[in-house]
Amino acid sequence: MDTFILPEWRKREITTAVITLFFENSGIGAGGLCAHLMKKHRMLPVPYKVLSGGLQKILCRKCGRYGLIIPLDSGVVLFLYNSLQSREELRRTVWHELGHIRLGHIQSSQLAEAEANHYMKTATVLEAMLNNITEGLPMDAFIKTA
């Protein structure tokens, strides 16, 4: 649960940004958008389990049991994550970390976490809604026409 309460105007700004993102990338499809954005933002997924045992414990304790991002000078963003999460938890973690990137967060704070959580919640709800709506539709329903 978020300990920091976002003002309604900020929630609306973030929600609008997420809806715009989905709309602008509608040709990709909801399921592929997450992977597309990870590639676009040069996120390199690294599971905690490939790290030494001591480092794993420190990351889980200090940075959360789900995941974190570390921007590198090269422009690559390391996305360290707990591979023991369920598929749904991992998806939420990816959206949360993408929220940090897309909202321009540089340092962790209660405000940054609350904003990234709202971003994640909005994106996962939209993704689920779009997947339910498009399930069973023929492929030509997704082809853009002029």
Side-chain angles (χ1 to χ4, degrees):
M1 176 179 255
D2 298 331
T3 56
F4 186 91
I5 309 233
L6 285 177
E8 288 302 314
W9 65 267
R10 185 60 179 146
K11 286 181 182 179
R12 282 191 300 276
E13 282 183 346
I14 294 169
T15 300
T16 300
V18 174
I19 290 170
T20 301
L21 175 71
F22 272 74
F23 181 75
E24 289 174 346
N25 292 281
S26 60
I28 295 170
L33 182 57
C34 205
H36 169 75
L37 290 171
M38 286 183 72
K39 185 175 180 178
K40 178 181 177 179
H41 291 289
R42 300 180 66 194
M43 288 176 73
L44 177 65
V46 179
Y48 285 171
K49 67 182 177 184
V50 302
L51 306 171
S52 71
L55 189 53
Q56 284 181 39
K57 288 177 185 174
I58 291 169
L59 286 174
C60 284
R61 189 172 48 245
K62 290 227 177 233
C63 305
R65 63 184 189 131
Y66 298 109
L68 72 146
I69 53 172
I70 302 172
L72 303 178
D73 291 338
S74 64
V76 170
V77 178
L78 290 181
F79 168 50
L80 301 166
Y81 68 95
N82 183 347
S83 58
L84 299 177
Q85 299 176 79
S86 70
R87 186 175 181 182
E88 294 78 24
E89 286 175 320
L90 183 55
R91 197 117 184 120
R92 287 191 298 269
T93 300
V94 170
W95 279 117
H96 176 92
E97 299 305 334
L98 279 167
H100 283 302
I101 293 170
R102 300 207 41 101
L103 295 170
H105 297 157
I106 296 170
Q107 293 182 349
S108 184
S109 67
Q110 284 186 323
L111 173 62
E113 289 305 310
E115 288 183 348
N117 281 338
H118 186 75
Y119 192 98
M120 173 270 300
K121 290 172 188 173
T122 304
T124 54
V125 166
L126 272 175
E127 188 175 52
M129 287 172 51
L130 289 172
N131 285 338
N132 285 337
I133 290 170
T134 58
E135 196 172 295
L137 289 177
M139 280 308 292
D140 60 357
F142 301 99
I143 298 172
K144 290 184 177 182
T145 56

